[in-house]
Each structure stands twice: as C-alpha cells, then as structure tokens.
Amino acid sequence: GLRHTENLVREMLAFSRGGNLSTTPMSLTDAVDIAFDGLAPRLRQLDATVERDLQALRDVRMLGNLDALAGAVRNLIDNALDHAGQGARIAVRGDLDHQGDICLVVEDDGPGIDHALLTRIFDPFFTTRDRGTGLGLAVVQAVVLEHGGLVSAGRSTLGGGRLELHLPVMADPDHASGGTAIQHARNPQS
C-alpha cells in the first residue's frame, strides 16, 4: 500500500509539473538502465523474463531530462508488468526509425490493449485496473511530448500490449547546451 501511495504521489507530481524540463545531452539507454534498476525487485518477485536489445542506441545522443525519461520508461515497464503478471515476458528494444529518430518499444505477453480503448489509454485518470491511478501512461505521454516526440500503442508481437516512443536525436552535439528548456512537441496523432 505504501509503494502504491508513493507511486501515485510521484505520478501526480510529474503530471502536474508539465513543461519546462531542463535538458542535457544524454543517451536514452541510461534512462532505460535506471528504470530497470528501480524495478529489479518487482521483476524478481514476478519472475519476469526480460529481453533487452538497445545496442543500436548505445552511441545515440539526445537532449533530454534523464530523470523524467527514466520515470517514463519505468511507467511503461511497470504497466507491462501490471498487465502481464506473474511470469511476464517483457521486451524492450531500441533502434533508429526511418526518420532517424530514436524508437523505443516496450512489449509484453499480457492480454493486450482492447482496440476500443486505444484512444483513451493516455487520458489522465483513465484506468482498467482496480488499483490503477490512470496516470502512468498520461505521464509517459506528457514527458515524451515535452521532449518533442510521440508515443503510440498497439498489439505486441508477444501477444500483449506494445508501446512505442519516438524521440528526436541530438542534431549537433557541438552546439548543444545543457539546462535549456524544450519548447517544441510533435502532435501525437501524426
């Protein structure tokens, strides 16, 4: 119960803060590593099998807020664990998409996302779980949009849910300066 309350407060604060994230040059793989470190006890408890393939992103840099992105990735993995349950299979893969942007995919072998709910899963306070807050995916979307990216959901190759993030790479690391605020966002519907 305490962990649930702590997560609820953290998610509400992240959602309410909104924009003006300070950013620095970073690798999204660092955010994924931090997310997995925080979820290690839960992954063991659920006896989850995790496939991680981030090799294509190891040397890719972006301007981002490490804490915010680690929290967003953690929410995606946590959400996958909630739906897939005991013995879950989770896959986290990263590559560059056809536009040269970072693409991170989190998939699970749970029951999947009902097609009728796809348009609502990023709405704040919308949840299908009894103890869910409905903030996890709303926070993910807010963080991704704040980083100029987009997020989408669909059916996993593992049979469950699939959430996909697209984030811009750092155009010119020689001219990037830390501590700037990101002021652009792509339309998640595009």
Side-chain angles (χ1 to χ4, degrees), residues 4-17 71 74-75 78 82 129 132-139:
H4 174 73
T5 302
E6 180 181 328
N7 287 339
L8 174 61
V9 170
R10 188 181 68 245
E11 289 176 353
M12 288 179 70
L13 287 172
F15 185 74
S16 66
R17 283 186 192 124
R74 180 185 170 123
N75 281 350
D78 215 18
D82 284 343
R129 297 185 334 236
T133 63
L135 288 174
L137 293 179
V139 168

Side-chain angles (χ1 to χ4, degrees), residues 1 13 16 29 34 49 60 64 66 81 91-92 100-101 103 116 120 129-130 140 148 152 159 164 171 187:
L13 287 172
S16 66
T29 60
I34 291 168
T49 302
V60 177
L66 183 61
L81 290 170
V92 179
D101 288 336
C103 176
R120 299 187 60 206
R129 297 185 334 236
D130 290 340
V140 169
S152 61
E164 191 170 307
N187 183 339

Side-chain angles (χ1 to χ4, degrees), residues 6-181:
E6 180 181 328
N7 287 339
L8 174 61
V9 170
R10 188 181 68 245
E11 289 176 353
M12 288 179 70
L13 287 172
F15 185 74
S16 66
R17 283 186 192 124
N20 296 327
L21 292 173
S22 62
T23 63
T24 58
M26 59 165 281
S27 170
L28 187 61
T29 60
D30 292 339
V32 174
D33 290 343
I34 291 168
F36 271 108
D37 288 347
L39 287 169
R42 185 153 190 244
L43 290 164
R44 281 191 301 273
Q45 176 189 20
L46 291 174
D47 195 26
T49 302
V50 177
E51 174 192 333
R52 287 169 66 171
D53 182 4
L54 302 172
Q55 194 59 39
L57 298 181
R58 287 285 169 208
D59 297 324
V60 177
R61 306 293 284 169
M62 65 175 290
L63 279 177
N65 183 292
L66 183 61
D67 291 335
L69 286 167
V73 172
R74 180 185 170 123
N75 281 350
L76 291 179
I77 298 166
D78 215 18
N79 191 63
L81 290 170
D82 284 343
H83 290 286
Q86 189 69 32
R89 284 182 35 217
I90 309 285
V92 179
R93 298 183 188 97
D95 209 339
L96 295 178
D97 66 17
H98 65 281
Q99 295 179 333
D101 288 336
I102 294 167
C103 176
L104 183 75
V105 175
V106 177
E107 298 182 288
D108 65 66
D109 68 342
I113 304 166
D114 185 334
H115 186 71
L117 302 179
L118 281 174
T119 60
R120 299 187 60 206
I121 63 169
F122 297 107
D123 292 348
F125 306 108
F126 175 77
T127 185
T128 58
R129 297 185 334 236
D130 290 340
R131 295 187 52 127
T133 63
L135 288 174
L137 293 179
V139 168
V140 169
Q141 182 178 46
V143 168
V144 170
L145 289 175
E146 188 66 24
H147 281 83
L150 59 94
V151 59
S152 61
R155 174 63 77 187
S156 165
T157 58
L158 300 176
R162 172 188 176 100
L163 287 136
E164 191 170 307
L165 310 181
H166 292 265
L167 296 159
V169 299
M170 192 164 69
D172 185 355
D174 295 330
H175 293 91
S177 62
T180 59

